[in-house]
Amino acid sequence: MADKNAMKNKSAMRNKSKVKNKDIAKNKAAGKKKYAVDKTMKQEAEKRTAGKMGKKKYAVDKTVKQEAEKRTIGKMEKKYAVTKAFTEKTDHGKSVKEKKVSGKNTSEKMITKKQNADMCQYAKKCGGCDYQGLSYEKQLKEKQEYVRKNVGEFCKVLPIIGMEHPYHYRNKVHAVFDIAKGGSVISGVYKAGTHDVVNIDSCRIEDETADAIIHDIRGLLRSFKIKTYDEDTGYGLLRHVLVRRGFHSGEVMVVLVLGSPILPSKNNFVKALRKLHPEITTVVLNVNDKKTSMVLGEKETVIYGKGYIEDTLCGCTFRISPKSFYQVNPVQTEILYTKAIEYAGLTGKERIVDAYCGIGTIGLIAASKAKEVISVELNRDAVKDAVTNAKRNDIKNVQFYNADAGQFMVEMAEYRADQKKNQVPDATKSGKKETPDGNVDVVFMDPPRAGSDEAFLSSVVRLAPKRVVYISCNPETLARDLKYLTKHGYQAKECQPVDLFPWTKHVETVVLLSHKKADSYIHIDVEFGEGEGKIPVDSIAKRAEAYKPKEKVTYKMIKEYIEAKYGFKVHTAYIAEVKRNLGLPMYDAPNAVEELKQPRKHPTPEKVEAIKDALRYFAVI
């Protein structure tokens, strides 16, 4: 019995010990858990405290750093203002004097060129507008100074004529299409100096309707499964889109420039596009399958409408095709052309040459105030439009010639020399319209940015019109050409700058030049006959006889002489060209004159010298 009780007590003690151990273990685990919680809370609190202290320290450090930077920048700006206060380079590389503002040495340009809230969002990427961040008034001052520095030495430069609303003036908008890195279709312009496309939704100088059309074409490409052209691989279809809108007529032309001649579902594409833009009056497919920087190719197909638009300028209606040159700012163009015709001083009796005539704008506008207009243009499509424009406006005193303006003027000058020497009849009166005679009163010239060449300018000098009206989009090449003309009998009277391209550095100018008149004349009496101080008649006759060829010199004789002496043959046309350049008569080689009008190679310097040698041998020169 005692043993049983002992065993019970022992068992109870064991059970009690187990319960105690369990309680200890339980309490231990709870303690660990509590410790872990407390530790975590403590760590979080420490992090928060450290974060607050770190932020505070960072803010203090940042403030100190900013203050230091401000002081450094302030010193640098002050130094820059002092050194650049009086001379600052303009956008054209010329020096201008700066002003002192509020008695402090500071550059006006540093103030005016700061970006403002009105700056275009694409300004840094696009690079198309040179005067972003500069007020329009300051832009006009820059351009006025640019023209004055180049043209001011030749004549008075009038104040530039700016635009009242210098936004969205471009009625011709071109966009190049590409694929972005993410695969989306983009359209816009090439970044300056690269072929990277800057995606542009709307531009502040482009026509708003044109921008909207280009934007919506982007959206249609995916649904019609039309891929954009890849310049590197040559794969894809759509390369460019060109939109032209008539300022007065409101007519809109869309030109789709493709890498191949087939546009899938073209009728449905046009239908979908016109649903979005019913103002579109014609759509043209242009094929450019060459790896070239040129936008438009040679082949064109009209898929909707008449293939061109019409617009009114200075009271005349003009037909504008995809390739035709037409000024992009019609508002300012009317001002420019009105001034040009005013400079011409037309009375209704003048014969005018409109060189580089394009679609005939200046010549047709001036025709109502002139007796006759001769218009010259190398672009065949533009000439076709010009002829149509003359009929459209019922103008009958204009003749159009599809030729290089420089070569055409040279031929006119030579024709005039032939008329004076040999009484050659006027080709236009005899029914031949290849080259009109050179009797000209006014020459309008509107060359490209490269200006004119010496052959053209020398022909103007030889034609000797009373007035030359020079329209230029580049003051620098204008100055170069004015230098030539003023050295060869002309005087620049006045220059009128007109801002056709706001927000860019380009500026259009029109200059009036008139033929110089002799300030005085010296009258010399020469007496012929016998007696003291008189020149004997027989002496004059002997001198003339000495320089007179013994027989008529033919082209055959010149050819035979050259072949015998130099061992090579020369073409009749080469001899004719050398004679024409020397101002010699051409009546004895009419076929050679005609051949010179055809495109061909010119004689080499070696052959030119051989021909001159033969002419000297036969006493022609």
Side-chain angles (χ1 to χ4, degrees):
M1 189 74 181
D3 291 336
K4 285 183 179 181
N5 290 331
M7 289 176 66
K8 283 182 180 180
N9 291 333
K10 197 174 182 178
S11 177
M13 289 290 289
R14 277 199 304 270
N15 289 337
K16 189 174 181 181
S17 178
K18 286 180 180 180
V19 170
K20 187 177 180 180
N21 288 337
K22 283 183 181 179
D23 290 341
I24 292 169
K26 195 173 182 180
N27 291 334
K28 202 174 195 181
K32 285 182 179 180
K33 188 174 181 181
K34 185 175 183 300
Y35 173 76
V37 171
D38 292 343
K39 187 178 180 181
T40 302
M41 291 177 68
K42 186 178 181 181
Q43 287 175 341
E44 291 296 326
E46 287 176 349
K47 283 181 181 179
R48 286 194 297 272
T49 303
K52 288 179 181 179
M53 292 178 70
K55 284 181 180 179
K56 187 174 181 180
K57 185 178 185 299
Y58 172 76
V60 171
D61 292 343
K62 187 178 179 181
T63 302
V64 171
K65 187 178 180 181
Q66 286 176 339
E67 290 298 325
E69 285 176 350
K70 283 181 181 179
R71 288 193 297 272
T72 303
I73 291 170
K75 290 177 182 179
M76 290 175 68
E77 285 183 344
K78 186 176 181 181
K79 183 180 179 181
Y80 176 82
V82 170
T83 56
K84 295 290 183 178
F86 296 100
T87 56
E88 177 77 8
K89 291 289 183 182
T90 68
D91 291 335
H92 307 295
K94 307 284 176 83
S95 296
V96 293
K97 287 189 176 180
E98 300 294 347
K99 297 179 181 179
K100 289 186 178 181
V101 181
S102 301
K104 296 180 180 180
N105 289 328
T106 181
S107 170
E108 186 181 3
K109 277 184 166 287
M110 288 177 61
I111 299 170
T112 57
K113 285 198 171 184
K114 286 182 180 179
Q115 293 186 347
N116 52 48
D118 194 42
M119 182 176 285
C120 171
Q121 60 179 315
Y122 308 108
K124 292 182 179 179
K125 297 179 180 179
C126 171
C129 293
D130 308 279
Y131 287 139
Q132 283 292 337
L134 203 63
S135 69
Y136 188 54
E137 292 74 18
K138 294 257 185 339
Q139 293 177 40
L140 294 179
K141 288 181 180 179
E142 288 270 342
K143 293 183 181 184
Q144 178 77 25
E145 182 67 10
Y146 182 31
V147 176
R148 189 196 65 77
K149 282 187 174 292
N150 283 279
V151 185
E153 65 176 288
F154 300 101
C155 62
K156 179 183 178 181
V157 178
L158 299 178
I160 188 170
I161 301 174
M163 286 193 77
E164 186 177 356
H165 302 290
Y167 296 97
H168 304 294
Y169 58 84
R170 288 188 65 91
N171 65 349
K172 176 184 176 182
V173 179
H174 158 246
V176 59
F177 277 67
D178 201 359
I179 295 292
K181 290 183 179 179
S184 60
V185 178
I186 60 174
S187 65
V189 298
Y190 289 123
K191 187 177 180 179
T194 73
H195 267 218
D196 299 330
V197 178
V198 179
N199 189 42
I200 295 176
D201 291 325
S202 63
C203 173
R204 294 190 176 188
I205 67 172
E206 293 177 349
D207 182 83
E208 293 176 287
T209 300
D211 280 347
I213 290 171
I214 292 169
H215 179 270
D216 288 336
I217 288 175
R218 282 199 331 233
L220 291 174
L221 295 185
R222 187 175 295 278
S223 58
F224 280 87
K225 297 181 180 179
I226 298 173
K227 294 184 177 180
T228 61
Y229 182 82
D230 188 312
E231 284 188 334
D232 297 325
T233 64
Y235 291 106
L237 186 61
L238 185 64
R239 300 184 68 162
H240 310 272
V241 171
L242 178 69
V243 181
R244 305 185 81 154
R245 188 176 79 87
F247 179 77
H248 292 286
S249 67
E251 295 181 3
V252 177
M253 172 172 60
V254 176
V255 182
L256 305 172
V257 184
L258 311 178
S260 61
I262 299 174
L263 177 66
S265 305
K266 62 182 179 183
N267 293 332
N268 290 332
F269 184 87
V270 171
K271 186 177 180 180
L273 182 58
R274 289 200 70 251
K275 186 176 181 181
L276 294 172
H277 295 279
E279 65 272 20
I280 295 174
T281 55
T282 188
V283 180
V284 179
L285 293 185
N286 179 280
V287 181
N288 185 355
D289 55 3
K290 298 178 181 178
K291 288 188 175 182
T292 173
S293 58
M294 298 293 289
V295 175
L296 297 177
E298 294 296 325
K299 300 177 183 177
E300 285 183 354
T301 305
V302 180
I303 60 175
Y304 177 78
K306 53 193 179 182
Y308 60 88
I309 61 172
E310 291 184 336
D311 200 21
T312 303
L313 187 70
C314 296
C316 291
T317 301
F318 294 96
R319 169 175 168 166
I320 308 165
S321 297
K323 297 177 185 176
S324 297
F325 172 78
Y326 190 75
Q327 291 281 11
V328 299
N329 188 337
V331 174
Q332 295 296 92
T333 300
E334 288 197 342
I335 295 171
L336 179 73
Y337 287 177
T338 300
K339 191 67 179 179
I341 293 171
E342 176 191 321
Y343 278 165
L346 303 177
T347 63
K349 299 178 181 180
E350 290 80 13
R351 191 183 203 201
I352 295 172
V353 171
D354 178 13
Y356 313 97
C357 72
I359 60 175
T361 46
I362 299 175
L364 292 175
I365 294 168
S368 62
K369 299 179 181 180
K371 181 181 179 181
E372 182 185 1
V373 179
I374 298 166
S375 296
V376 191
E377 172 58 45
L378 185 60
N379 186 315
R380 187 179 292 104
D381 294 315
V383 173
K384 288 179 181 178
D385 284 346
V387 172
T388 302
N389 291 334
K391 293 178 180 178
R392 176 75 170 75
N393 293 280
D394 195 28
I395 297 173
K396 298 177 181 178
N397 61 334
V398 180
Q399 297 177 33
F400 293 98
Y401 295 85
N402 183 199
D404 175 76
Q407 182 61 30
F408 185 86
M409 291 287 284
V410 169
E411 291 181 5
M412 282 189 70
E414 290 170 349
Y415 196 168
R416 186 186 188 198
D418 290 348
Q419 280 184 303
K420 286 185 174 182
K421 289 183 179 181
N422 309 298
Q423 301 300 312
V424 177
D426 184 349
T428 56
K429 292 179 181 177
S430 62
K432 297 180 181 179
K433 293 188 178 181
E434 288 83 0
T435 307
D437 71 87
N439 297 314
V440 176
D441 300 298
V442 179
V443 170
F444 284 101
M445 52 185 294
D446 188 2
R449 285 191 59 77
S452 195
D453 56 27
E454 191 167 322
F456 181 95
L457 297 172
S458 64
S459 66
V460 171
V461 172
R462 291 174 67 185
L463 286 174
K466 297 175 184 176
R467 288 174 295 281
V468 176
V469 180
Y470 193 139
I471 298 172
S472 170
C473 57
N474 187 343
E476 293 174 20
T477 55
L478 170 62
R480 180 200 67 200
D481 294 347
L482 288 179
K483 186 175 182 180
Y484 182 93
L485 291 171
T486 53
K487 281 186 176 181
H488 293 82
Y490 281 88
Q491 182 179 3
K493 294 289 188 180
E494 192 173 275
C495 172
Q496 176 63 73
V498 182
D499 189 21
L500 263 71
F501 315 102
W503 304 98
T504 77
K505 65 182 179 182
H506 302 299
V507 57
E508 202 87 7
T509 53
V510 54
V511 176
L512 168 64
L513 297 105
S514 62
H515 206 281
K516 290 180 181 177
K517 296 180 180 179
D519 296 328
S520 60
Y521 298 89
I522 300 174
H523 183 74
I524 301 176
D525 290 322
V526 180
E527 296 185 34
F528 301 97
E530 301 299 329
E532 186 178 353
K534 296 183 180 180
I535 303 174
V537 175
D538 60 344
S539 176
I540 296 171
K542 285 179 181 179
R543 293 182 193 178
E545 187 66 23
Y547 289 98
K548 182 180 179 181
K550 305 304 179 186
E551 58 181 315
K552 183 179 179 180
V553 181
T554 65
Y555 281 71
K556 184 180 179 181
M557 292 166 63
I558 296 172
K559 287 181 177 182
E560 289 174 350
Y561 172 87
I562 292 172
E563 187 173 3
K565 184 173 180 179
Y566 294 93
F568 54 73
K569 296 180 179 181
V570 294
H571 196 280
T572 305
Y574 288 169
I575 301 172
E577 177 169 329
V578 173
K579 289 184 70 177
R580 289 155 68 100
N581 290 339
L582 292 171
L584 298 173
M586 300 296 303
Y587 60 92
D588 54 344
N591 293 334
V593 175
E594 291 301 320
E595 284 177 326
L596 281 172
K597 294 173 186 174
Q598 305 302 321
R600 58 163 187 79
K601 294 181 179 178
H602 294 280
T604 62
E606 182 185 16
K607 290 186 177 182
V608 170
E609 289 305 314
I611 293 168
K612 287 182 178 179
D613 178 36
L615 294 174
R616 282 190 289 267
Y617 175 81
F618 289 110
V620 177
I621 59 174

